[in-house]
Amino acid sequence: MVQFGKKVVKYRIVILIISVLLLIPSVLGYVNTRVNYDVLTYLPKDIETMKGQDIMVEDFGTGAFSMFIVDGMESKDVVKLKEDIEKIEHVENVLWYDSVMDISVPESMLPDELYEVFNSDTGTMMAIFFDEGTSADGTMDAIEAIRKTAGKQCFLSGMSAIVTDTKNLAEKETPLYVLIAVALAVLVLGITMESFFVPVLFLLSIGMAILYNLGSNYFLGEISYITKALAAVLQLGVTLDYSIFLMHSYEEQQIRYHGDKKRAMAHAISHTFSSVVGSSVTTIAGFIALCFMSFTLGLDIGVVMAKGVVFGVIACVTVLPSMILCCDKVIEKTKHKPLLPDIGKLSQKVTKRYLWYVAAFLILLFPAVYGNNHTGVYYNLDETLPKELPSIIANEKLKEDYEMNTTHILLLDSSVPSSDVGKMLKKIEKVDGVKWALGLDKLVGPGIPSDMLPESVTGMLKTDKYQMVMVNSLYKVASDEVNQQIAEINEIMDQYDEKAMLVGEGPLTADLITITDKDFRTVSVVSIGIIFIIILILFQSISLPFILVGVIEFAIFVNMGIPFYTGTTLPFVASIVIGTIQLGSTVDYAILMTTRYKRERSQGRSKYDAVTIAHQASAQSIMVSALSFFAATVGVGLYSNIDMISSLCILMARGAIISMVVVVLILPSMFMVFDRVIVKTSRGFLPKRSQDKKKEKHTGSDSMTECMQ
């Protein structure tokens, strides 16, 4: 690798020119990558609810729907507004009571139940059907157009409206996430590094790697808004270590090759590459574990972030060294003494008082595990969005004025007789929390002959293959009550049509709960298993994988257990991905200290001396790394108004600090306790002479046994 380093040094100007030119296609790719703002679309395509969504698009020409509330408007003006909305591109149909009969006909001719569906004391409501899916670009464009057409007295609710508002909020905030992360990271690095200018170079090279990563997402087709928002911040936090390692290695090589900075950098690149590749493997493994989720948001995050780590490694050993050499004079002028505490005294205290830290570990273990297992999660994604968003205001109004929390769509075979459909609807309306069930047969009341219904209405609710029924639920999405309600409706449906499907936000979210609960266990097992094997191979040890993974898992339990004791409910994604991300990105701290501990033991040092020196040599680097990760994520967590992003960043920031504390205080204590076991179950922890003597002793005993035989 030294030859590779020499090539980088020699062609540093060419490397910088190429790296800048590559930013052009990267920016174009980033701008043209579609972003998905609906996480429910990441559910498996083969489940019944997702198949039902496809049927709605293919057979009814409607992929999404929204409830539209109009307050204080005369009927003739509502009719005009409805006509204007129907003209908007991607609006397939609008269902209001004038769809059934002209508004000049007395309202008394409408069935009472039907009149109550569309009207309240304050105004009226209509259902708008779109020709594309909930999060499709066409649907979101139509939402914006409807809002421009309607006045302030109109309110558009539903999942599509929430997705549109989430998109607008995310697009507004995402650039600020990067600015906040960069500003705080520069602050931490400026204090902890020996030059104020070096952090600028770090962030420039990492920034390029981030753009390469985001630009290459174009080839994936689309990414989720969560991935887009977190990718830059997470890649910065995870790959910053590599830049720090290169700089420290470069400084060490300058002492070795005094006056020859090019040679020093070539050797620094060689050392960094071998170390960073080993370090990045565990991080990539953590992200790859997310790809095993059947809820494919994990695949989305995992692929993008694994790719980001690879780009980070490449930039670290090519772009960054070129920048450092080209800006050498500026670096020298901005040098200062780093403001870091003296680790020497702390190292001795940790080693001498190791039993205290083992005791602390044992005392905290049970409450940490208990808290981790009982932390509450939520699945209703609009619950924590800012209350001033138009869609949230509309949903609240829908709940207050029309007692509507969510709407299920029931798809029946069109051959089911009207009499059976009527019986089924009566049973469904008796289910707890169901206010009404509206189908084609409900529209055909005593005063409305079926031939009076326009084809636009019948086609909206019935095709050659299927008929559609809308069911209004009083219960919140993702609540235990609505999940029980969905189960009861499914039982009733099966009595009349075994192939009937229940779709919509409520049923999709119920499937989400079931699927992600299974995914959590899968991802945990896979991530622990992969990293266990990596550590096993890296240290050729049977005991160390248990110790290192156990220590980091303890840090994860503490991190994930805190919300339980503070009464904080987390978004469901956090409970799945944070453990994997924290394990993959912070196990490096443990590996760094273990590597030095192994080196010192192999050189013949005693247990006490080996652990103390390992602690002194690595604790400072671990602190800088953890504080940088903390800085890159905590600001975003505190600023973001999207709780999905805010919670993930807060957990990552806190996880970095907790892992740092655990590795710095508890891991050395574990080495002290299990040193004898580690030495006996690992290769390379004893001086070669000792190992040779063991071999000779073992061989001698075998020979003696043979002679006796």
Side-chain angles (χ1 to χ4, degrees):
M1 285 307 298
V2 175
Q3 291 303 316
F4 172 76
K6 288 179 179 179
K7 294 287 185 184
V8 171
V9 170
K10 182 179 179 180
Y11 297 107
R12 59 190 180 279
I13 303 298
V14 176
I15 288 170
L16 288 177
I17 292 171
I18 294 172
S19 64
V20 171
L21 290 175
L22 285 173
L23 292 176
I24 298 170
S26 298
V27 170
L28 291 173
Y30 171 70
V31 171
N32 290 289
T33 299
R34 188 183 182 278
V35 180
N36 187 346
Y37 292 89
D38 182 8
V39 298
L40 293 177
T41 59
Y42 291 99
L43 285 166
K45 302 301 179 187
D46 58 349
I47 61 174
E48 187 176 276
T49 44
M50 293 297 283
K51 288 179 180 177
Q53 297 285 104
D54 294 337
I55 289 169
M56 286 185 65
V57 175
E58 293 167 7
D59 287 77
F60 291 90
T62 58
F65 68 93
S66 289
M67 295 300 180
F68 184 64
I69 303 168
V70 182
D71 277 355
M73 189 179 287
E74 292 186 10
S75 295
K76 61 177 183 178
D77 295 324
V78 176
V79 172
K80 178 65 172 62
L81 178 59
K82 175 176 175 268
E83 290 173 353
D84 291 340
I85 291 172
E86 285 175 326
K87 294 174 184 176
I88 292 173
E89 190 176 4
H90 298 295
V91 172
E92 181 70 16
N93 284 302
V94 181
L95 180 63
W96 188 46
Y97 81 81
D98 83 326
S99 302
V100 178
M101 63 174 62
D102 191 88
I103 59 168
S104 60
V105 177
E107 293 173 353
S108 58
M109 288 190 66
L110 280 173
D112 291 340
E113 292 180 7
L114 190 59
Y115 178 79
E116 289 174 4
V117 168
F118 292 108
N119 295 278
S120 71
D121 296 336
T122 58
T124 189
M125 177 187 71
M126 57 184 78
I128 300 175
F129 294 86
F130 303 96
D131 62 9
E132 292 187 1
T134 302
S135 60
D137 294 334
T139 303
M140 289 191 281
D141 290 342
I143 295 285
E144 297 285 13
I146 292 168
R147 286 173 173 171
K148 288 178 182 177
T149 302
K152 291 183 179 179
Q153 65 205 89
C154 302
F155 306 88
L156 191 63
S157 68
M159 195 62 195
S160 293
I162 290 169
V163 167
T164 303
D165 287 340
T166 302
K167 173 188 175 182
N168 295 335
L169 186 60
E171 287 183 346
K172 175 185 171 185
E173 289 190 352
T174 300
L176 292 171
Y177 296 161
V178 180
L179 289 176
I180 292 168
V182 167
L184 292 176
V186 166
L187 179 64
V188 169
L189 290 171
I191 293 171
T192 55
M193 300 297 292
E194 291 187 348
S195 168
F196 289 118
F197 188 67
V198 165
V200 176
L201 298 182
F202 284 1
L203 295 171
L204 281 174
S205 65
I206 294 171
M208 286 182 171
I210 289 170
L211 276 173
Y212 301 152
N213 186 31
L214 295 176
S216 65
N217 290 336
Y218 175 78
F219 299 102
L220 299 177
E222 67 174 26
I223 59 170
S224 76
Y225 78 95
I226 297 171
T227 305
K228 181 184 176 183
L230 291 178
V233 174
L234 191 51
Q235 188 174 336
L236 172 63
V238 167
T239 62
L240 202 50
D241 288 358
Y242 312 153
S243 301
I244 295 169
F245 193 94
L246 175 80
M247 195 63 200
H248 284 166
S249 181
Y250 176 51
E251 289 166 355
E252 289 176 4
Q253 295 302 322
Q254 283 187 82
I255 297 170
R256 183 180 175 188
Y257 302 105
H258 184 67
D260 192 347
K261 293 189 175 182
K262 292 179 182 179
R263 189 178 180 189
M265 180 58 80
H267 283 269
I269 292 169
S270 176
H271 284 113
T272 300
F273 187 80
S274 57
S275 300
V276 162
V277 166
S279 174
S280 63
V281 165
T282 56
T283 308
I284 291 171
F287 290 125
I288 287 176
L290 295 176
C291 300
F292 286 83
M293 291 172 61
S294 52
F295 180 60
T296 54
L297 178 62
L299 177 66
D300 192 72
I301 296 172
V303 168
V304 172
M305 289 315 307
K307 184 160 55 71
V309 174
V310 173
F311 278 116
V313 171
I314 294 170
C316 175
V317 295
T318 56
V319 179
L320 181 58
S322 303
M323 285 182 173
I324 291 172
L325 287 175
C326 290
C327 300
D328 183 68
K329 291 181 180 179
V330 182
I331 293 171
E332 290 297 326
K333 287 180 180 179
T334 57
K335 279 196 170 182
H336 67 93
K337 187 178 180 181
L339 301 175
L340 285 171
D342 180 19
I343 301 297
K345 293 181 180 178
L346 175 63
S347 300
Q348 291 178 357
K349 287 181 180 178
V350 169
T351 315
K352 286 180 179 178
R353 300 173 183 174
Y354 69 93
L355 289 176
W356 291 18
Y357 299 109
V358 172
F361 168 78
L362 294 173
I363 291 168
L364 291 173
L365 183 59
F366 175 76
V369 172
Y370 184 85
N372 173 75
N373 293 340
H374 291 82
T375 292
V377 297
Y378 68 84
Y379 295 84
N380 189 0
L381 304 179
D382 65 321
E383 200 168 86
T384 55
L385 286 171
K387 301 302 179 186
E388 64 271 13
L389 289 180
S391 57
I392 303 301
I393 294 170
N395 283 353
E396 285 299 313
K397 189 162 184 63
L398 194 68
K399 182 170 63 177
E400 291 171 7
D401 295 353
Y402 295 87
E403 296 183 297
M404 290 181 68
N405 252 310
T406 186
T407 303
H408 312 314
I409 299 291
L410 195 159
L411 295 175
L412 283 169
D413 193 293
S414 60
S415 62
V416 177
S418 296
S419 57
D420 285 349
V421 174
K423 292 176 185 177
M424 184 189 72
L425 293 184
K426 286 181 180 179
K427 287 184 179 180
I428 288 174
E429 286 179 332
K430 290 179 182 179
V431 174
D432 287 344
V434 173
K435 188 180 181 186
W436 50 257
L438 180 64
L440 186 62
D441 296 287
K442 195 74 169 280
L443 293 177
V444 184
I448 309 172
S450 58
D451 56 3
M452 281 184 63
L453 292 176
E455 189 178 340
S456 60
V457 175
T458 55
M460 193 187 309
L461 298 175
K462 192 170 184 178
T463 68
D464 294 339
K465 294 181 181 179
Y466 297 95
Q467 52 185 311
M468 183 195 301
V469 174
M470 298 174 68
V471 179
N472 173 28
S473 173
L474 302 175
Y475 298 143
K476 277 186 176 183
V477 170
S479 63
D480 293 337
E481 293 84 2
V482 83
N483 291 338
Q484 177 61 35
Q485 180 188 85
I486 289 167
E488 291 181 29
I489 292 173
N490 273 317
E491 285 182 12
I492 294 169
M493 281 173 14
D494 289 343
Q495 294 172 16
Y496 298 90
D497 181 7
E498 291 183 356
K499 295 182 179 179
M501 300 178 184
L502 194 64
V503 299
E505 187 186 358
L508 280 168
T509 307
D511 284 340
L512 177 69
I513 294 170
T514 304
I515 289 167
T516 53
D517 184 54
K518 179 184 176 184
D519 278 344
F520 173 72
R521 294 190 292 271
T522 302
V523 169
S524 296
V525 170
V526 171
S527 61
I528 290 171
I530 292 174
I531 291 175
F532 186 96
I533 292 169
I534 290 170
I535 295 171
L536 179 70
I537 295 169
L538 185 64
F539 291 107
Q540 296 181 320
S541 169
I542 297 171
S543 55
L544 281 173
F546 289 99
I547 295 171
L548 269 59
V549 171
V551 164
I552 299 299
E553 280 295 314
F554 169 70
I556 293 168
F557 290 153
V558 172
N559 188 25
M560 295 299 293
I562 288 173
F564 170 74
Y565 296 105
T566 58
T568 305
T569 306
L570 300 175
F572 71 96
V573 172
S575 63
I576 301 172
V577 305
I578 281 299
T580 303
I581 293 172
Q582 187 176 340
L583 176 61
S585 58
T586 65
V587 75
D588 293 346
Y589 306 164
I591 291 173
L592 178 65
M593 186 176 289
T594 307
T595 303
R596 189 55 185 263
Y597 162 59
K598 177 181 179 180
R599 186 195 305 175
E600 298 303 323
R601 281 299 265 144
S602 67
Q603 291 176 356
R605 298 190 188 277
S606 66
K607 171 179 73 173
Y608 176 86
D609 289 341
V611 174
T612 305
I613 293 170
H615 191 279
Q616 288 174 339
S618 57
Q620 202 167 77
S621 297
I622 292 168
M623 288 178 181
V624 173
S625 176
L627 289 172
S628 301
F629 197 161
F630 174 81
T633 51
V634 70
V636 177
L638 295 173
Y639 171 79
S640 180
N641 286 303
I642 303 172
D643 191 57
M644 183 81 75
I645 294 165
S646 175
S647 294
L648 285 168
C649 286
I650 289 293
L651 285 165
M652 285 189 286
R654 188 171 65 209
I657 297 300
I658 293 171
S659 290
M660 177 193 77
V661 172
V662 168
V663 170
V664 169
L665 298 180
I666 293 177
L667 183 60
S669 306
M670 294 297 177
F671 290 157
M672 293 295 291
V673 172
F674 295 106
D675 178 79
R676 184 175 294 180
V677 176
I678 293 168
V679 168
K680 287 185 176 181
T681 58
S682 312
R683 292 184 63 181
F685 275 80
L686 288 175
K688 287 186 178 180
R689 290 180 182 177
S690 299
Q691 291 177 348
D692 291 341
K693 285 180 180 179
K694 278 190 173 183
K695 285 181 181 178
E696 288 173 10
K697 186 177 179 181
H698 182 70
T699 305
S701 62
D702 287 346
S703 301
M704 188 176 292
T705 304
E706 288 174 9
C707 290
M708 289 175 68
Q709 289 175 344

